[in-house]
Amino acid sequence: MLLDSLQHKGLRQRLLQSLYGKGVTDERVLTAMGSVPRHFFLESGLDKIAYDDKALPIGVGQTISQPYTVGWQTQLLSVAPGEKVLEIGTGSGYQAAVLCELGAEVYSIERQNALHGRAKSLLAQMGYHPTLVYGDGFEGLHEHAPFAKIIVTCGADHVPQPLLNQLAVKGRMVIPAKSGKTLYMFVFDRISKTEIRQTKLKECSFVPMLQGVS
Ligand code: SAH
């Protein structure tokens, strides 16, 4: 059973305050994160630390992103209600739920079948209805393109060209990608059909983006 106790709600509020202090100040993002019980996405043994600002294990060697990272990336994405958003790396489904709370039309791809299946049933149980796809995020989702926003939640060794191609004009992609040996957060803004502007932000840490499915 999914139970969001007063204690969980209290811990969540405290987490949001700490995210605000770290620079996640967008009220819509904070409200969305305040509406999604993060502990639902974790095994019950992690209940007590579900609202620590830490990445935590979700099985098959993967992690749910650190709340600060979710807040920061989501704020960079600046999602408007009704926008089509593609996420690469469904993982636990937490980020997808936050995007649903922002009113986006969410598509999310995961290469680990076990995680895809778990996220699918949990999100449905919570009343969210994103389109979840089991597949390789390097390919994107050609049949549903273009996307107003694309968020990649695993660290890429290169920026996948299919994802840039599937970005709408005036669209934005937020992606952790390697520059040399180090992972940085990048923002790609499509100015026009032919022009893309790239902004390199600070260093970050993510599980790797891997080719193919598992
Ligand atoms: N957004 C997730 C974070 C999960 S960690 C959450 O909120 O929980 C990143 C996820 O990306 C992992 O589940 C990993 O399996 C997945 N991943 C890695 N490479 C991928 C690829 N090429 N396509 C799709 N998913 C990928």
Side-chain angles (χ1 to χ4, degrees):
M1 217 199 30
L2 299 175
L3 182 67
D4 191 23
S5 70
L6 273 177
Q7 195 192 8
H8 288 124
K9 290 190 168 90
L11 290 171
R12 195 152 69 243
Q13 277 315 310
R14 214 167 63 186
L15 171 63
L16 294 178
Q17 280 164 17
S18 95
L19 297 187
Y20 189 93
K22 293 174 186 176
V24 180
T25 54
D26 184 325
E27 287 299 334
R28 290 183 59 243
V29 171
L30 292 168
T31 302
M33 289 180 74
S35 306
V36 182
R38 189 176 189 244
H39 65 283
F40 289 0
F41 297 83
L42 295 162
E43 56 177 271
S44 57
L46 298 173
D47 208 65
K48 294 256 179 320
I49 54 171
Y51 294 97
D52 288 1
D53 192 13
K54 284 186 185 138
L56 292 169
I58 54 172
V60 290
Q62 305 306 314
T63 56
I64 184 173
S65 301
Q66 181 186 350
Y68 167 72
T69 305
V70 173
W72 181 42
Q73 269 197 297
T74 308
Q75 181 166 288
L76 285 170
L77 208 60
S78 91
V79 175
E83 277 184 345
K84 225 190 224 186
V85 178
L86 174 64
E87 178 193 21
I88 309 301
T90 313
S92 67
Y94 176 75
Q95 173 76 67
V98 171
L99 294 169
C100 288
E101 281 292 337
L102 286 166
E105 182 186 335
V106 180
Y107 296 78
S108 182
I109 311 178
E110 173 57 54
R111 68 179 290 281
Q112 292 275 1
N113 205 7
L115 294 177
H116 163 73
R118 213 191 300 153
K120 198 165 183 159
S121 75
L122 175 59
L123 289 170
Q125 215 182 326
M126 292 176 72
Y128 297 118
H129 299 287
T131 301
L132 299 184
V133 176
Y134 169 55
D136 181 358
F138 275 103
E139 306 297 328
L141 267 187
H142 183 68
E143 62 275 33
H144 294 287
F147 296 95
K149 304 286 158 64
I150 299 178
I151 176 171
V152 179
T153 67
C154 38
D157 58 7
H158 69 278
V159 177
Q161 189 60 43
L163 297 184
L164 288 172
N165 295 346
Q166 293 170 25
L167 197 56
V169 172
K170 302 232 178 344
R172 168 173 280 196
M173 171 159 79
V174 178
I175 178 172
K178 283 214 172 130
S179 170
K181 286 205 160 86
T182 312
L183 206 58
Y184 290 89
M185 193 66 76
F186 283 89
V187 172
F188 288 86
D189 288 303
R190 179 175 286 287
I191 312 297
S192 69
K193 249 183 137 155
T194 53
E195 195 187 347
I196 288 182
R197 189 175 54 212
Q198 167 187 321
T199 313
K200 183 179 177 185
L201 302 173
K202 61 185 174 181
E203 238 182 278
C204 56
S205 142
F206 281 84
V207 295
M209 183 169 183
L210 302 172
Q211 303 274 356
V213 292
S214 169

